[in-house]
């Protein structure tokens, strides 16, 4: 079966006064039909910039995609014109963000914002789009749909706004939904409802989801496949069960160890020592070496690449390389 999304060797750079930040560095990943792929990592790992690059939202002059290919439906999105990309965005690929208020227009009523993609991409009449907009509000679990359609964003709660964002995103039945930390700003109960809803829509429509999160609870709940990013690079990837049961990369092991468990005391919580390296000071090395308890000489001077370590997992770490052992 063809992949819905195929990112190959993507690099996205930002040119700052201090130097070039390689926010996404040689990243490859794929999303299959009906699959939920989670990209997980701390802030600054490049996970959101990967998603923005797919959507064509990394704008110059500072930021630009410096190389690679983003295959979607047989086309390289990086080769499309702005208007061709606009025709796909919000239609075949939709995106929801952490903060719905930044995506919604504060001076347009909710109903109008739902009608817009239906009229643009689906060529619906105003009347048909209004009818469908009201149905969509109901489908995302909001009652009094007509009244909500005539409300402005500031009149709704954060949870309701995120439901509206989902309604807008699914309105044109996209093949791929990209969700960037969609529940981070919400309380736990609403978060669970939103995740349930996303899963239900995925089951009903067969769409694929690329979910960006720092939250391993969300990953465990949602993912079929997990991609772990650190300092702009993929350090480990694999099926969710294999990766949770048997994490191979010391960073993934640290992330899983730092996930709180029930009845754990605050002082028992583990946190990975050290900090993500300054993106302007990266040298050819494993970018995790300053924080890694297993660091070897080679880790400081040579960058490991992703290797198949069996069990469907791929890991970029010298621990799994014979050459590293030879260097001791
Ligand atoms: Fe640790 Fe070396 Fe593996 Fe990096 S390559 S994670 S420093 S053992």
């Amino acid at each position: 079966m063809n992949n819905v999304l195929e990112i190959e060797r993507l690099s996205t750079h930002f040119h700052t006064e201090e130097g070039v930040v390689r926010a996404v560095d040689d990243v490859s990943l794929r999303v299959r039909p009906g699959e939920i792929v989670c990209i997980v990592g701390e802030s600054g790992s490049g996970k959101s910039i990967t998603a923005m690059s797919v959507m064509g939202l990394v704008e110059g002059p500072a930021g630009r995609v410096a190389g690679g290919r983003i295959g979607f439906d047989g086309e390289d999105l990086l080769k499309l014109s702005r208007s061709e990309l606009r025709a796909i965005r919000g239609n075949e690929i939709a995106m929801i963000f952490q903060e719905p208020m930044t995506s919604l227009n504060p001076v347009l009523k909710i109903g109008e914002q739902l009608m817009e993609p239906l009229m643009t991409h689906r060529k619906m009449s105003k009347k048909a789009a209004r009818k469908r907009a009201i149905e969509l509000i109901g489908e995302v679990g909001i009652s009094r749909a007509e009244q909500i359609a005539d409300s402005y964003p500031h009149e709704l709660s954060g949870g309701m706004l995120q439901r509206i964002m989902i309604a807008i995103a699914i309105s044109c039945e996209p093949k791929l939904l990209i969700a960037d930390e969609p529940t981070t700003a919400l309380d736990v109960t609403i978060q669970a409802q939103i995740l349930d809803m996303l899963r239900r829509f995925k089951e009903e429509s067969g769409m694929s989801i690329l979910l960006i999160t720092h939250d391993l609870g969300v990953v465990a709940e949602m993912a079929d496949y997990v991609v772990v990013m650190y300092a702009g690079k993929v350090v480990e990837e694999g099926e969710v069960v294999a990766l949770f049961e048997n994490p191979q990369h010391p960073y993934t092991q640290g992330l899983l160890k730092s996930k709180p468990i029930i009845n754990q005391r605050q002082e028992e919580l583990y946190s990975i020592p050290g900090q993500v390296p300054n993106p302007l000071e990266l040298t050819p090395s494993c970018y995790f070496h300053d924080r890694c308890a297993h660091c070897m000489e080679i880790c400081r001077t040579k960058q490991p690449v992703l290797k198949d370590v069996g069990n469907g997992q791929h890991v970029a770490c010298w621990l799994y390389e014979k050459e590293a052992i030879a260097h001791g």
Side-chain angles (χ1 to χ4, degrees):
M1 218 183 312
N2 287 341
N3 294 325
V4 174
L5 179 72
E6 249 170 19
I7 299 178
E8 288 167 29
R9 309 205 64 177
L10 177 71
S11 293
T12 303
H13 297 171
F14 289 85
H15 295 260
T16 71
E17 281 182 7
E18 291 82 28
V20 178
V21 173
R22 290 175 164 75
V24 176
D25 190 5
D26 205 14
V27 163
S28 299
L29 63 89
R30 53 103 194 89
V31 184
R32 290 182 285 216
E35 184 179 50
I36 300 182
V37 173
C38 282
I39 307 183
V40 66
E42 294 166 286
S43 87
S45 62
K47 56 192 192 307
S48 291
I49 302 295
T50 302
M52 307 272 277
S53 304
V54 174
M55 292 300 277
L57 296 175
V58 177
E59 313 251 308
R64 67 182 181 88
V65 173
R69 179 179 176 275
I70 301 176
F72 176 77
D73 222 6
E75 298 209 69
D76 182 357
L77 296 183
L78 296 175
K79 296 216 166 98
L80 298 186
S81 67
R82 277 173 182 260
S83 63
E84 288 170 324
L85 199 55
R86 254 199 311 274
I88 289 179
R89 209 158 55 200
N91 185 19
E92 292 176 68
I93 307 179
M95 186 160 181
I96 49 177
F97 299 91
Q98 176 177 341
E99 195 35 82
M101 269 316 251
T102 56
S103 314
L104 290 166
N105 185 333
V107 298
L108 274 186
K109 289 179 180 166
I110 296 294
E112 293 171 303
Q113 303 196 48
L114 269 157
M115 288 160 65
E116 201 265 333
L118 294 166
M119 287 161 51
T120 307
H121 298 301
R122 292 290 141 119
K123 309 293 174 222
M124 280 189 182
S125 67
K126 209 170 170 186
K127 194 173 165 203
R130 162 95 185 166
K131 183 168 172 283
R132 181 68 189 128
I134 290 168
E135 283 170 6
L136 280 162
I137 296 172
E139 284 172 24
V140 292
I142 301 179
S143 52
R144 299 177 291 110
E146 287 216 34
Q147 193 185 328
I148 296 297
D150 293 324
S151 307
Y152 289 95
H154 74 266
E155 297 176 280
L156 308 189
S157 68
M160 273 175 138
L161 288 174
Q162 197 55 296
R163 285 169 195 266
I164 295 296
M165 283 310 300
I166 293 172
I168 294 173
I170 62 165
S171 63
C172 294
E173 296 164 25
K175 286 186 187 152
L176 175 67
L177 175 70
I178 300 179
D180 188 359
E181 303 274 11
T183 56
T184 302
L186 305 172
D187 72 47
V188 185
T189 321
I190 309 288
Q191 175 171 328
Q193 291 169 1
I194 298 278
L195 294 177
D196 270 357
M197 188 187 301
L198 284 176
R199 223 180 358 233
R200 179 162 54 82
F201 286 137
K202 185 205 79 113
E203 297 298 331
E204 287 168 6
S205 71
M207 71 180 174
S208 309
I209 300 180
L210 181 63
L211 181 59
I212 317 293
T213 183
H214 69 281
D215 185 337
L216 286 164
V218 171
V219 178
E221 183 89 358
M222 298 292 285
D224 297 307
Y225 195 83
V226 187
V227 175
V228 182
M229 285 187 72
Y230 186 79
K233 299 202 86 74
V234 174
V235 294
E236 180 162 5
E237 60 175 57
E239 304 288 337
V240 66
V241 176
L243 194 128
F244 270 65
E245 280 182 355
N246 198 10
Q248 301 286 321
H249 195 282
Y251 177 61
T252 317
Q253 292 166 353
L255 277 182
L256 284 164
K257 229 167 118 187
S258 46
K259 184 172 156 6
I261 49 172
I262 292 170
N263 294 333
Q264 191 173 28
R265 291 202 309 270
Q266 183 67 31
E267 59 273 21
E268 291 171 347
L269 266 179
Y270 175 80
S271 73
I272 302 171
Q275 284 172 349
V276 181
N278 181 339
L280 291 163
E281 292 170 4
L282 296 173
T283 54
S285 61
C286 167
Y287 296 158
F288 190 61
H289 74 261
D290 275 348
R291 306 174 78 183
C292 181
H294 308 282
C295 180
M296 300 168 281
E297 196 45 45
I298 192 170
C299 308
R300 300 177 198 279
T301 53
K302 222 171 156 189
Q303 195 154 62
V305 292
L306 278 177
K307 283 269 154 73
D308 186 343
V309 292
N311 210 15
Q313 277 160 281
H314 291 80
V315 183
C317 172
W318 287 118
L319 284 175
Y320 303 93
E321 296 273 357
K322 288 197 183 80
E323 188 187 344
I325 294 158
H327 285 69

